[in-house]
Amino acid sequence: MIGSNELLSDESKREMQRIQWSHEFAGKTQSYGLGLEYEEVGDWKLLGHGGGFPGHITDLEFHTDSGFAVSAMTNCLEGAASQWSKSIMQILHWFSKHASETPDNNLTSFSGRFYSLWNIVDIVHCGNTTIATEPNRWMPLSEGSEELEYINATSLLIKKASAFSSAGEIIKFNFDKNGQAKNIHYAGS
């Protein structure tokens, strides 16, 4: 990182991080510094680089402002190292964004993983934000997440959702005597 003067001078590190080349592809701007790729996760600008050797794939992503860095390595040529590292960064970004919020209600009892015949849903709470998401997505806290709103001690409202989901419907929780969710009725199912 800049400020340590280790391995490379700070001047060299700044030059590596300066965009040297950009290209438009598939509706996104791809940028490259000297040996570093630029990626975006939310409003975070990530720097990183991937690599490989026969039978192995690696990816490193770091966010200079937060100090977060993620390195993913696979021992499979088809390994999804880049998707793993960006997904982990997206999770760190989401929690960093919401951690400073002051919650209106204590919603931790609603958090958990719930299974049905058709799906797995995680209800995730941080600060004053609660969402429902599917953990099988590469970017689980953004792709298709539904924003939830507190109604009462046993119910959440699906406030925002895709057109193919259940916006405006209720998630009803049944709690055991210890306050743990036994089951939920998700939008009537």
Side-chain angles (χ1 to χ4, degrees):
M1 298 291 173
I2 293 176
S4 68
N5 271 323
E6 292 180 19
L7 193 57
L8 295 171
S9 70
D10 284 350
E11 182 181 348
S12 294
K13 292 175 195 172
R14 281 187 195 88
E15 190 62 22
M16 287 179 70
Q17 294 178 29
R18 188 172 64 82
I19 294 175
Q20 306 287 330
W21 176 80
S22 291
H23 177 71
E24 293 292 326
F25 180 72
K28 289 179 66 175
T29 301
Q30 299 174 323
S31 300
Y32 204 72
L34 296 176
L36 295 173
E37 301 171 33
Y38 278 79
E39 298 279 348
E40 290 184 9
V41 169
D43 58 356
W44 279 7
K45 307 279 190 259
L46 304 179
L47 296 163
H49 190 81
F53 183 77
H56 305 342
I57 297 292
T58 64
D59 190 65
L60 167 71
E61 301 290 336
F62 63 96
H63 181 246
T64 56
D65 293 341
S66 67
F68 287 128
V70 174
S71 179
M73 298 166 269
T74 68
N75 61 351
C76 173
L77 188 58
E78 298 84 19
S82 178
Q83 289 90 337
W84 280 110
S85 62
K86 286 169 190 57
S87 182
I88 292 167
M89 278 298 213
Q90 188 263 339
I91 291 168
L92 291 169
H93 173 267
W94 190 85
F95 278 97
S96 293
K97 179 179 170 183
H98 297 291
S100 63
E101 298 171 350
T102 304
D104 292 335
N105 298 288
N106 182 359
L107 301 177
T108 55
S109 62
F110 293 104
S111 298
R113 176 164 285 178
F114 303 94
Y115 299 85
S116 74
L117 291 174
W118 301 106
N119 204 1
I120 301 171
V121 66
D122 286 344
I123 296 185
V124 182
H125 174 73
C126 183
N128 202 32
T129 302
T130 304
I131 62 169
T133 186
E134 297 173 12
N136 61 338
R137 298 177 186 265
W138 279 118
M139 298 292 191
L141 301 181
S142 63
E143 292 177 355
S145 294
E146 299 178 344
E147 286 186 33
L148 307 178
E149 185 176 274
Y150 179 84
I151 296 176
N152 59 43
T154 61
S155 304
L156 297 174
L157 171 71
I158 302 171
K159 184 177 177 182
K160 290 184 183 175
S162 78
F164 301 105
S165 194
S166 304
E169 298 208 27
I170 305 289
I171 306 171
K172 180 81 173 140
F173 290 74
N174 292 313
F175 295 100
D176 64 19
K177 63 181 179 177
N178 298 319
Q180 297 294 312
K182 291 190 308 183
N183 58 52
I184 63 174
H185 297 277
Y186 200 97
S189 61

